[in-house]
Amino acid sequence: MPPTPSRSRRLLGRLSLPERMQVAEALRTETVGGILLLASAVVALVWANLWPHTYESVRGFTVGPAAPLHLDLTLETWAKDGLLTVFFFVAGIELKRELTVGDLRDRWAAALPVVAALCGMAAPALVYTAVNLGGGGDPAGWAIPTATDIAFALGVLAVVSTHLPSALRAFLLTLAVVDDLGAILVIAVFYTSAIKLWALLAAFAGLVVFFLLHRRRVHGWYLYVPLGLVVWALMHESGVHATVAGVAMGLMLRCTPDKGEQHSPAERIVHRVRPLSAGFAVPVFALFAAGVAVSPGALREVVTGAAPLGVVLGLLLGKSVGVFGGTWLTARFTRAELDPSLKWADLYALATLSGIGFTVSLLISELAFPGDPELAARAKAAVLVGSLLCALLACVLLRLRNRHYRQLWEEEERDEDGDGIPDVYQNDPRSGAPEAPPE
């Protein structure tokens, strides 16, 4: 009898050319946004510690109409509930695109980042809960260390000039997108208190109208932008976190072009909105959220208080163990093999990098302790400390392999015939690139 063919599959192999180009475009914008995010965080820390009264007065400045939907909000709240909606809108589009036309439309390809993201959310929550149950802390902040900030992570990669292969960057990007969706579900389910049913039903009706207009191929930003603002305002009034509206509308956009269309609506919109999200919305949110007191006493509370210590250990240990463990278990039980150009140490370094939980972690810090601003501030300081430790450790681990990464990157980029298609994709039926003409 002929031998039974092996059913092993390869983890983190080379991306198809269309997917690689899509990921490259997203990463360029997110990397620039990550550098701006780092700068905003530094400005916030300096501002809040040198001129705290000015910082608090600006952050607490109220603007907006009071009636009929109580939108007289502070600048901090506008950044948290308004600008982050743009961030989650882009995350919703990215997830929809990956699952419908991207590499994740294959269930096997989707399983790896989804399992890694779920394990990367569960493990930090368990670490935080264990620390707080044993130390008499507040368990309400269990979700703080569960988030991954892709912009911050890419900003770190840009600063240290790490030539990470596109497959690893795509894995990190998709992991963060799934993580963002999980975070918004956690916020909607666990950090929503009183709900105004009429506003929630009205927001849902607005989403139905949005979906029907889009399904019937009705065009015109002048229809969708006002409708989106109304849906956002109603969601905000309902008591459900307003960013849920952004994710919902992002998931509704069509990702496949109709006949005669060069690009789908999702592609066109995300191309325009992603720079706004990465270059303005997230950095401005960081400016108003990252300003926490940094002093010897505050840092001492981070490592002695149960809640902040749980955040730090959740990010530093929980994230790396969860993401790496989820990836390894997926390979173990599906008989998958890691791509020969990579090692499991590369995955662990990437898992450590995923412990940078800045934007959404800061958001959840405020939602978890609404009645205790001092504890919320300590949790934010813990997010900064944990993210910094993860960044430093990941940089060390990645730099140890950077020479190998550079070789892989140069191979991916080599285009000796100058036709705009990297040579590794020539005549590769999996690449989606046109075949070179015969000589």
Side-chain angles (χ1 to χ4, degrees), residues 41-409:
V42 172
V43 170
L45 288 171
V46 172
W47 188 4
N49 285 273
L50 294 183
W51 304 282
H53 297 296
T54 305
Y55 180 76
E56 290 298 331
S57 62
V58 171
R59 186 164 66 169
F61 183 76
T62 300
V63 63
L69 297 176
H70 307 97
L71 294 179
D72 49 336
L73 309 175
T74 64
L75 292 180
E76 179 187 14
T77 305
W78 276 112
K80 178 179 66 176
D81 293 356
L83 293 180
L84 279 193
T85 301
V86 180
F87 168 78
F88 281 109
F89 176 65
V90 173
I93 296 175
E94 286 294 336
L95 184 63
K96 176 72 173 292
R97 193 200 69 81
E98 287 289 338
L99 294 174
T100 54
V101 298
D103 282 2
L104 297 190
R105 65 185 182 276
D106 175 26
R107 292 182 180 180
W108 154 253
L112 179 63
V114 169
V115 172
L118 292 177
C119 293
M121 295 183 71
L126 291 175
V127 170
Y128 177 93
T129 303
V131 171
N132 281 265
L133 290 181
D138 192 334
W142 61 270
I144 296 173
T146 60
T148 295
D149 194 312
I150 182 62
F152 205 125
L154 293 174
V156 170
L157 291 178
V159 170
V160 299
S161 298
T162 300
H163 292 79
L164 205 63
S166 59
L168 288 179
R169 290 178 182 262
F171 175 76
L172 179 63
L173 179 63
T174 307
L175 175 77
V177 170
V178 177
D179 191 288
D180 288 337
L181 181 62
I184 201 67
L185 291 175
V186 166
I187 290 171
V189 174
F190 296 99
Y191 295 107
T192 296
S193 53
I195 295 179
K196 294 182 180 179
L197 189 59
W198 72 267
L200 184 61
L201 292 176
F204 180 76
L207 290 173
V208 171
V209 173
F210 184 97
F211 174 76
L212 292 176
L213 289 174
H214 190 60
R215 184 180 179 86
R216 293 178 179 275
R217 307 308 194 255
V218 177
H219 300 284
W221 64 267
Y222 47 84
L223 292 175
Y224 291 101
V225 171
L227 179 59
L229 292 174
V230 170
V231 170
W232 175 87
L234 289 169
M235 192 70 73
H236 181 274
E237 179 69 10
S238 73
V240 176
H241 203 270
T243 50
V244 174
V247 172
M249 287 185 282
L251 290 172
M252 289 180 183
L253 293 182
R254 177 167 53 86
C255 295
T256 53
D258 285 340
K259 186 177 181 180
E261 286 184 331
Q262 186 176 3
H263 300 287
S264 69
E267 287 180 286
R268 294 195 301 269
I269 292 173
V270 81
H271 180 73
R272 292 177 172 86
V273 177
R274 184 187 281 118
L276 174 64
S277 171
F280 179 76
V282 174
V284 171
F285 166 77
L287 182 65
F288 289 118
V292 295
V294 178
S295 64
L299 295 177
R300 184 167 55 251
E301 291 180 354
V302 167
V303 296
T304 57
L309 181 59
V311 172
V312 173
L313 294 179
L315 291 171
L316 185 60
L317 299 179
K319 266 292 182 181
S320 58
V321 171
V323 171
F324 180 81
T327 307
W328 186 85
L329 288 173
T330 301
R332 175 67 178 83
F333 289 103
T334 58
R335 292 196 293 176
E337 296 177 354
L338 192 64
D339 190 87
S341 64
L342 301 174
K343 294 183 178 180
W344 283 108
D346 300 321
L347 264 296
Y348 185 78
L350 202 69
T352 303
L353 189 66
S354 73
I356 299 176
F358 190 76
T359 305
V360 181
S361 292
L362 292 178
L363 171 63
I364 298 178
S365 295
E366 296 185 357
L367 299 177
F369 310 115
D372 193 342
E374 291 187 2
L375 183 56
R378 291 199 296 272
K380 286 184 178 182
V383 170
L384 298 178
V385 171
S387 297
L388 178 61
L389 291 175
C390 288
L392 292 175
L393 180 57
C395 286
V396 171
L397 296 175
L398 292 171
R399 291 293 294 180
L400 291 175
R401 293 269 291 163
N402 197 39
R403 179 177 297 180
H404 178 65
Y405 296 153
R406 182 186 291 273
Q407 293 174 351
L408 295 178
W409 180 81

